[in-house]
Amino acid sequence: QSALTQPPSASGSPGQSVTISCTGTSSDVGGYNYVSWYQQHPGKAPKLMIYEVSKRPSGVPDRFSGSKSGNTASLTVSGLQAEDEADYYCSSYAGSNKDVVFGGGTKLTVL
Amino acid sequence: QLQLQESGPGLVKPSETLSLTCTVSGGSISSSSYYWGWIRQPPGKGLEWIGSIYYSGSTYYNPSLKSRVTISVDTSKNQFSLKLSSVTAADTAVYYCAREGGEWFGELFAAFDIWGQGTMVTVSS
C-alpha cells in the first residue's frame, strides 16, 4: 500500500473557503466510501473531522465538509477561521486485512 | 468520557524491541463496536497506521511492518499493547493509540475517533 497524495500546503484568508485534495487509487479511495479526515495542531493528537467521506462527528462545525469523486477525496473548510490553521491528514480503508492508509498531510495556513 | 493513555520507555536501543501499552479509561475495551489501533508519526512527518486489535484478540497489521509487529490485548486490565522488534532510527516517532470503528463496514469503519495524547519514542544507542 502507498500513501495517499495530498498537497503539502494550502492557504486562505479568514472567511474564505479552501479545499484540500487527497488522491489515491481504485484500491483505496476510489474503491470504498471510507475516507476520513483529521486535523492536527502542533504538538497535539489528531482529531477526527470527517469519516465515511462526508459524515461529521458530533461537535465538528458544519464549516467542514467532505466529498469524493473517483480516486480523489476532498475536504472543504468554509468560512475560514484562525483556529483552522493546522495540518490535515486524509486516510482511507485500503481493503485486504482492514488496512488503513494515510495521506502525507497538508499544512493549512490562514492568512 | 473515554480516554486513552500511552505508556512505555521513551528511549530504545537499536535492534531491541519497542514496547508500549495503551490504557483505556472511562469505558470498556471489550466493547463489540470498536477496534483499538496504533498509529505513529515520525518527527515532522505524516501518520502511519501500524495495526489494530479487537477485544477478542483478532489483529490486523500494516503489511510493511507486519514481520516486526505484535499487538495484544488484556481485557482484565482494559489495556492493549504494541511490540515492535528489531528497531532502527527510522522507528523514532510519536506513537499514538486510538479507538477505531469495529463493525465491518459499519459506523466509523476505518476511522479513529478517540486518540491518546501520544508518546515520543527515540531509537538511539
Side-chain angles (χ1 to χ4, degrees):
Chain A
Q1 52 178 246
S2 300
L4 306 177
T5 300
Q6 297 181 235
S9 63
S11 62
S13 299
Q16 289 187 332
S17 294
V18 64
T19 296
I20 299 170
S21 64
C22 170
T23 301
T25 69
S26 59
S27 296
D28 37 63
V29 175
Y32 310 94
N33 289 322
Y34 293 102
V35 176
S36 302
W37 289 90
Y38 300 86
Q39 176 191 66
Q40 185 180 36
H41 287 109
K44 301 295 186 181
K47 175 186 176 182
L48 180 66
M49 304 300 284
I50 297 286
Y51 66 100
E52 292 180 40
V53 175
S54 60
K55 294 182 179 180
R56 278 188 310 275
S58 175
V60 173
D62 60 7
R63 302 185 294 103
F64 291 85
S65 61
S67 62
K68 191 188 85 167
S69 177
N71 295 338
T72 298
S74 299
L75 172 71
T76 297
V77 186
S78 305
L80 271 174
Q81 299 182 3
E83 59 262 35
D84 299 333
E85 185 163 294
D87 293 326
Y88 290 84
Y89 293 91
C90 63
S91 73
S92 174
Y93 172 60
S96 188
N97 293 317
K98 209 177 186 294
D99 292 354
V100 174
V101 61
F102 283 92
T106 297
K107 181 176 180 59
L108 174 60
T109 300
V110 181
L111 302 171
Chain B
Q1 182 178 354
L2 192 81
Q3 293 185 318
L4 286 73
Q5 178 68 57
E6 306 88 351
S7 59
L11 181 64
V12 181
K13 290 182 168 56
S15 79
E16 295 190 343
T17 297
L18 177 160
S19 296
L20 296 174
T21 296
C22 182
T23 300
V24 179
S25 59
S28 175
I29 201 171
S30 298
S31 169
S32 61
S33 300
Y34 302 103
Y35 271 78
W36 305 91
W38 288 98
I39 300 101
R40 70 179 182 178
Q41 184 173 34
K45 296 187 179 181
L47 301 167
E48 179 180 35
W49 172 70
I50 299 171
S52 300
I53 190 166
Y54 197 53
Y55 76 94
S56 63
S58 296
T59 53
Y60 297 95
Y61 299 138
N62 185 324
S64 67
L65 297 170
K66 187 175 183 178
S67 64
R68 299 194 293 130
V69 173
T70 301
I71 298 176
S72 59
V73 64
D74 186 337
T75 56
S76 67
K77 294 182 178 179
N78 231 29
Q79 296 176 334
F80 63 105
S81 299
L82 168 70
K83 290 188 184 300
L84 181 65
S85 64
S86 305
V87 298
T88 69
D91 295 310
T92 293
V94 175
Y95 285 76
Y96 294 99
C97 58
R99 187 179 78 171
E100 179 185 3
E103 183 178 348
W104 277 82
F105 305 113
E107 185 75 359
L108 286 171
F109 180 70
F112 300 92
D113 66 332
I114 300 177
W115 294 63
Q117 66 184 29
T119 188
M120 179 69 199
V121 178
T122 301
V123 179
S124 175
S125 56

